Amino acid sequence: MIENLVIVESPAKAKTIEKFLGKDFRVISSFGHIRDLAKKNQGINVEKDFTPDYEIPKEKVKVVNELKKAAADATNIWIASDEDREGEAIAWHLTEVLKLEVSSTRRIVFHEITKDAITSAIENPRQIDMNLVNSQQARRILDRLVGFEISPVLWKKVQPSLSAGRVQSVAVRLIVEREREIISFKSESSFRVIAVFRIDQKDGESAIIKAEASKRFNDGNEAQKFLELCAGSEYKVAGITVKPGTRSPAPPFTTSTLQQEAYRKLGFSVAQTMAVAQKLYEAGKITYMRTDSTNLSKLALAKSREVIVDGFGIKYSKTRQFKTKTKGAQEAHEAIRPAYLDNSTITGNPNEKKLYELIWKRTVASQMSDAEVEKTTISVEINNSPVTFNASGEVIKFDCFLRVYTESTDQENSDEERYVIPPVKKGMPLYYNTVTASQKFTSPPPRYTEASLVKKLEELGIGRPSTYAPTISTIQNRGYVLREDRPGEKRAVSIITLEKGKFSTTSKTEITGKEKSKLFPQDIGMIVNDFLIDNFSDIVDYNFTADVEEQFDEIALGNLKWTKMLHTFYGPFHKTIENALEKKDHKTGARVLGNHPETGEPVSVRMGRFGPVAQIGNSENGSKPRFASLSKNMLIETVTLEEALDLFRLPRSLGMHEGEEMIVGIGKFGPYIRYKSKFFSLKKGVDDPYTITMDRAIEIIREKNENEQKKIIKDFGDILLLNGKYGPYLSREKQNYRLPKGTDTEKLTREDCIIIIEKSNKSKKSS
DNA sequence: CAGTGAGCGAGCTTCCGCTTGACTT
């Protein structure tokens, strides 16, 4: 028998709290929710006022049994799940499953894990708030209804195994709409003029000022004319302004901002960030990593002040508590911060160290004073034109938090460079060293990264810290979007330079459209998105979540009955389901591109059973249509007739080589040459299957065969001894076998090999 | 490893939010 049992959500939290509470208390964890809606028949009785059918999932049975045993052994039970909608529901499910009296169960909450917070929580128990529980039930049931009623419509009307949901479908929509903005974007160019001026100073030294013309020019001719004018101009300083300013540190990390910064600064994916953070949390090195709060505990505030004063001086310290701005934030936890601020580094693997240091810097910087900067702008006048040249520079007067940490932005290498403007006076003459007009192209809006998508979802109030990473995985697993790199394309830019009265025009190539780790919508994502917008526009509306959240809040306040809210929602919603099912058509995203230039047959593209496909002709007039899969990076939406026809040029014969035909084609793994029933991959970025020559093909075949020869140490016919990355190994019938340690490959016979293989097969079966 | 482009049709797929392991290579 134990006096007091405290139940929390996380086992790591249980461990810490037990230390604070002493031996009269036992602290155990529920590992999150212990019950959920039944999987079968939606788990909801819609006819009977949305009565939920809750069940304990298989993987939770063990935990629940342990909880039951512990509860039976305790005199007092304290439920300390998180103080938010989900936490309150967990508390209620616990009372139901453990058969606790609601009136006598002590519900306690704390937002930070400190001795003070916990003891004061124990002193102020309350009862379970059924209004809050009901708002969670409404949330849960609405999500189940949306997901489990729309998804089957997709199976029927689009493709099996697809999914839709309040959160994931909006995430996909954002990516699809962004891609369409990019597709319809027309890049325009203009000429930007930058002059490098020399200014002579008293001591005989000269300084350099780089300034940009106040006007951009539409084309090269206009720019050239302006430069000609510049050649004969006189320049002088027309105005100087010096403005003091301040910069403030960013608030401590939440899940979303941690994911963004870990991507920008460390290149982590969203899932990777969460996995590393989980490790740090379990090791007691950081506070909880799934949070939407920027709050720091009093203890943490005091400690960071100490660390800053000791390390930098009192001038650097400014204690701040940040208000959480995010829509719908529930703030059940603290911000993500180091558990012990004394440690600016930790032991651990490189990724753990890097992420920890990032968290430490962000936390400490948030408690430092503003940085003081001085921004200087000067304008340079030309005697024969209204156009002016402007330069701006920034000097940091007091670095403060910038010494520790600066938040990154999503814009990649913006060409605004900050530099120090030399001291000048109004009216001073300037002389040009060079005046350069360079062609600049406007860029389309950027594609989303995993992290910038999370940022956007958070802004819309869609999804929660615990679901950002899983949502990003889901939309990739369904094939709606793909995260990938793109090499970009070359583009010529022209540059006109004026130097010492002479003009020169050069052309430079730059790379445009290069992408790293960006989210690209796939055909099936675009088709599903359009289908959802056509049939369920309310659900995929960007404001849908915000609207229902308002109603959940009303339920939590006791102003709205949760079943009434569900009735109001479900009536019209279910009607849209029926309407969608009544429609006859099957969504394939089909487009007719035109007619075949020789035969006149129609050429179309659509989503087929095995993916996007191009088709020539149709089966109506008895002739057999021809098919070809679209290649990677092609979209049904943008593919042209020419591109589609190109697909049918492969596979093609390259001719004969030593009595056998060489066939070039594109397969699952890219372009290949098939020769003597073996496959030889073309080199990425070097060879093109449409234009590759016979000689080059022979070279590729010879190269690969030679490399393979090098791999073979011994050839026993059916068994090969090969040289691999990790040393020698055996190969038989496409199966590989490891050699026992210390095997002498020189003396190895075919019989030895057979023994090794048989032993290996036996141990595989037994395990 | 490198394809497929039907009409016999079982039984399956799916949501969002709380939490961690249990698995294999």
Side-chain angles (χ1 to χ4, degrees):
Chain A
M1 205 69 179
I2 187 148
E3 188 71 21
N4 296 291
L5 179 70
V6 180
I7 304 174
V8 295
E9 290 184 38
S10 143
K13 200 169 171 180
K15 232 167 64 187
T16 346
I17 292 171
E18 200 153 49
K19 275 188 276 180
F20 289 126
L21 284 173
K23 61 178 189 318
D24 291 340
F25 286 83
R26 184 176 170 210
V27 188
I28 56 173
S29 130
S30 76
F31 292 81
H33 274 293
I34 53 159
R35 284 205 306 191
D36 191 17
L37 294 174
K39 277 265 187 193
K40 56 174 197 291
N41 306 329
Q42 286 194 144
I44 305 158
N45 193 336
V46 174
E47 268 80 50
K48 281 201 175 151
D49 230 14
F50 302 96
T51 309
D53 173 14
Y54 289 117
E55 67 180 19
I56 296 163
K58 223 178 29 225
E59 64 273 17
K60 289 284 180 181
V61 171
K62 212 177 133 199
V63 189
V64 169
N65 285 338
E66 277 163 25
L67 287 166
K68 278 182 181 162
K69 224 166 81 192
D73 270 358
T75 322
N76 301 317
I77 293 170
W78 311 76
I79 301 184
S81 48
D82 298 344
E83 186 178 33
D84 57 16
R85 199 161 64 199
E86 298 297 327
E88 204 68 13
I90 290 174
W92 176 72
H93 282 299
L94 281 168
T95 63
E96 291 274 300
V97 173
L98 305 182
K99 303 201 168 59
L100 310 174
E101 288 291 319
V102 176
S103 55
S104 65
T105 301
R106 294 179 178 86
R107 169 81 170 111
I108 55 168
V109 292
F110 36 80
H111 298 112
E112 44 182 72
I113 304 175
T114 56
K115 200 175 161 78
D116 279 356
I118 292 161
T119 37
S120 100
I122 294 280
E123 282 158 17
N124 297 292
R126 60 170 173 83
Q127 287 190 1
I128 287 172
D129 177 352
M130 278 316 288
N131 288 330
L132 197 52
V133 172
N134 288 338
S135 82
Q136 192 274 348
Q137 297 202 84
R139 198 281 304 157
R140 179 67 191 93
I141 291 170
L142 180 132
D143 279 336
R144 171 58 68 85
L145 289 170
V146 168
F148 276 36
E149 293 211 2
I150 298 183
S151 297
V153 178
L154 292 177
W155 306 341
K156 271 199 168 150
K157 297 292 176 186
V158 187
Q159 221 173 68
S161 300
L162 296 173
S163 65
R166 176 177 57 82
V167 174
Q168 58 168 286
S169 297
V170 175
V172 174
R173 178 176 188 175
L174 285 164
I175 294 164
V176 170
E177 290 191 342
R178 177 59 55 85
E179 193 68 22
R180 289 191 171 136
E181 282 175 54
I182 295 168
I183 291 166
S184 62
F185 183 82
K186 298 263 181 299
S187 183
E188 286 169 2
S189 84
S190 62
F191 282 76
R192 178 185 182 202
V193 177
I194 292 189
V196 177
F197 293 112
R198 192 184 78 243
I199 186 159
D200 294 330
Q201 289 171 323
K202 274 182 207 148
D203 52 9
E205 296 281 305
S206 62
I208 294 293
I209 292 176
K210 213 168 156 187
E212 184 180 348
S214 56
K215 191 181 166 203
R216 286 197 177 198
F217 301 89
N218 290 329
D219 56 48
N221 285 336
E222 276 185 31
Q224 170 84 25
K225 270 191 204 138
F226 178 69
L227 257 55
E228 281 164 13
L229 183 127
C230 284
S233 301
E234 285 172 12
Y235 306 91
K236 68 172 188 212
V237 176
I240 311 156
T241 56
V242 180
K243 258 195 214 156
T246 58
R247 276 200 258 160
S248 303
F253 278 133
T254 60
T255 302
S256 152
T257 52
L258 178 69
Q259 289 171 347
Q260 289 160 43
E261 279 289 88
Y263 169 75
R264 294 173 189 141
K265 289 196 156 81
L266 310 175
F268 287 4
S269 72
V270 160
Q272 195 183 359
T273 300
M274 294 314 283
V276 176
Q278 176 89 30
K279 274 264 188 295
L280 292 172
Y281 169 66
E282 283 168 10
K285 288 176 175 146
I286 59 170
T287 54
Y288 195 57
M289 66 284 155
R290 291 187 275 263
T291 176
D292 52 20
S293 170
T294 53
N295 263 23
L296 293 177
S297 70
K298 285 195 198 91
L299 214 72
L301 291 176
K303 193 72 206 174
S304 29
R305 187 178 162 78
E306 210 180 295
V307 169
I308 293 161
V309 172
D310 284 358
F312 303 93
I314 187 109
K315 223 181 129 191
Y316 280 78
S317 164
K318 182 180 177 186
T319 302
R320 309 165 190 257
Q321 193 63 272
F322 292 83
K323 279 254 176 311
T324 306
K325 278 182 253 157
T326 310
K327 222 192 275 184
Q330 312 207 355
E331 306 206 55
H333 303 95
E334 269 191 81
I336 304 169
R337 62 160 174 94
Y340 304 100
L341 280 148
D342 292 313
N343 306 332
S344 60
T345 58
I346 52 153
T347 53
N349 73 34
N351 282 348
E352 288 164 20
K353 278 183 158 171
K354 278 191 262 180
L355 193 70
Y356 178 85
E357 282 162 28
L358 189 67
I359 294 168
W360 186 86
K361 286 177 182 167
R362 174 91 166 203
T363 311
V364 169
S366 80
Q367 297 307 313
M368 294 175 82
S369 331
D370 288 350
E372 285 161 28
V373 296
E374 194 177 82
K375 195 173 181 185
T376 308
T377 53
I378 64 170
S379 63
V380 175
E381 208 173 69
I382 325 179
N383 64 330
N384 52 1
S385 164
V387 176
T388 58
F389 282 91
N390 304 293
S392 72
E394 197 175 77
V395 181
I396 293 168
K397 290 286 182 184
F398 176 46
D399 59 354
C400 203
F401 79 91
L402 295 174
R403 215 193 246 198
V404 177
Y405 177 88
T406 323
E407 188 175 44
S408 301
T409 59
D410 283 325
Q411 273 103 47
E412 299 131 73
N413 49 20
S414 64
D415 45 21
E416 294 293 317
E417 38 180 324
R418 291 212 166 88
Y419 79 115
V420 181
I421 302 247
V424 291
K425 285 209 181 86
K426 197 173 169 178
M428 269 184 157
L430 297 157
Y431 311 94
Y432 79 81
N433 278 354
T434 57
V435 185
T436 312
S438 11
Q439 192 176 16
K440 296 284 170 193
F441 290 87
T442 52
S443 327
R447 288 194 176 84
Y448 285 105
T449 63
E450 290 187 347
S452 69
L453 182 65
V454 168
K455 183 183 179 187
K456 184 70 192 176
L457 288 172
E458 189 189 34
E459 280 168 15
L460 294 167
I462 299 171
R464 304 277 313 129
S466 66
T467 59
Y468 294 138
T471 301
I472 300 277
S473 302
T474 299
I475 61 175
Q476 294 181 62
N477 291 340
R478 296 277 172 276
Y480 294 153
V481 309
L482 182 68
R483 185 186 73 193
E484 66 174 351
D485 302 340
R486 293 271 170 96
E489 282 163 15
K490 281 182 186 151
R491 172 166 72 189
V493 288
S494 52
I495 295 164
I496 313 167
T497 310
L498 162 64
E499 191 173 7
K500 290 178 184 160
K502 285 190 182 132
F503 298 94
S504 60
T505 303
T506 53
S507 177
K508 207 176 73 182
T509 56
E510 64 177 17
I511 302 290
T512 173
K514 184 171 186 235
E515 296 280 30
K516 187 129 189 30
S517 261
K518 293 293 175 63
L519 298 173
F520 291 80
Q522 305 296 292
D523 288 307
I524 190 64
M526 300 178 102
I527 291 167
V528 167
N529 177 63
D530 294 351
F531 181 82
L532 295 176
I533 288 175
D534 281 349
N535 293 281
F536 308 102
S537 58
D538 290 348
I539 305 297
V540 290
D541 190 291
Y542 292 123
N543 290 318
F544 178 67
T545 292
D547 290 347
V548 291
E549 280 291 345
E550 261 178 41
Q551 301 178 53
F552 296 149
D553 286 347
E554 287 301 302
I555 296 169
L557 291 169
N559 300 333
L560 178 62
K561 207 179 163 207
W562 69 282
T563 47
K564 187 172 177 234
M565 183 257 163
L566 286 174
H567 274 294
T568 317
F569 162 75
Y570 187 73
F573 169 69
H574 189 69
K575 193 92 195 111
T576 62
I577 295 281
E578 283 169 354
N579 290 344
L581 285 170
E582 266 170 31
K583 291 183 192 165
K584 278 262 138 49
D585 60 330
H586 196 84
K587 274 274 175 193
T588 60
R591 278 177 67 219
V592 177
L593 302 179
N595 295 311
H596 192 280
E598 282 142 35
T599 66
E601 293 167 291
V603 180
S604 61
V605 283
R606 64 182 162 83
M607 182 56 73
R609 281 188 300 144
F610 310 111
V613 68
Q615 180 176 350
I616 299 178
N618 45 42
S619 43
E620 282 162 23
N621 47 21
S623 65
K624 225 181 167 192
R626 286 184 290 150
F627 298 93
S629 290
L630 295 202
S631 57
K632 217 173 157 274
N633 296 355
M634 271 185 183
L635 283 176
I636 290 176
E637 192 156 319
T638 53
V639 65
T640 63
L641 178 62
E642 289 69 33
E643 287 166 342
L645 290 172
D646 262 351
L647 297 169
F648 293 91
R649 287 169 51 202
L650 296 177
R652 68 191 176 100
S653 174
L654 280 177
M656 306 295 276
H657 175 53
E658 291 172 0
E660 294 262 1
E661 199 176 21
M662 297 183 293
I663 309 274
V664 58
I666 295 179
K668 213 167 160 182
F669 310 103
Y672 64 88
I673 300 159
R674 200 172 75 219
Y675 176 64
K676 289 186 182 168
S677 63
K678 269 175 79 178
F679 290 88
F680 303 85
S681 290
L682 300 198
K683 268 220 176 79
K684 248 192 196 162
V686 179
D687 299 309
D688 175 19
Y690 295 106
T691 56
I692 191 165
T693 61
M694 199 170 159
D695 290 345
R696 173 65 186 148
I698 293 169
E699 196 182 317
I700 289 172
I701 292 167
R702 187 177 48 81
E703 223 172 80
K704 189 179 172 191
N705 280 341
E706 271 174 14
N707 285 338
E708 244 163 42
Q709 279 305 314
K710 275 185 211 156
K711 261 178 72 181
I712 300 173
I713 306 170
K714 277 183 183 172
D715 187 347
F716 298 114
D718 56 336
I719 301 173
L720 294 171
L721 178 62
L722 299 171
N723 215 341
K725 244 196 303 196
Y726 313 111
Y729 67 97
L730 293 174
S731 172
R732 187 179 75 173
E733 289 166 354
K734 291 183 182 175
Q735 289 271 353
N736 295 339
Y737 303 89
R738 267 157 65 178
L739 291 176
K741 265 187 192 155
T743 308
D744 187 350
T745 53
E746 290 280 311
K747 290 182 186 155
L748 204 69
T749 63
R750 187 167 175 279
E751 282 65 40
D752 296 336
C753 293
I754 290 171
I755 294 168
I756 292 169
I757 289 170
E758 276 171 2
K759 262 192 188 164
S760 158
N761 281 342
K762 250 185 213 164
S763 67
K764 252 181 220 164
K765 266 178 209 158
S766 65
S767 65

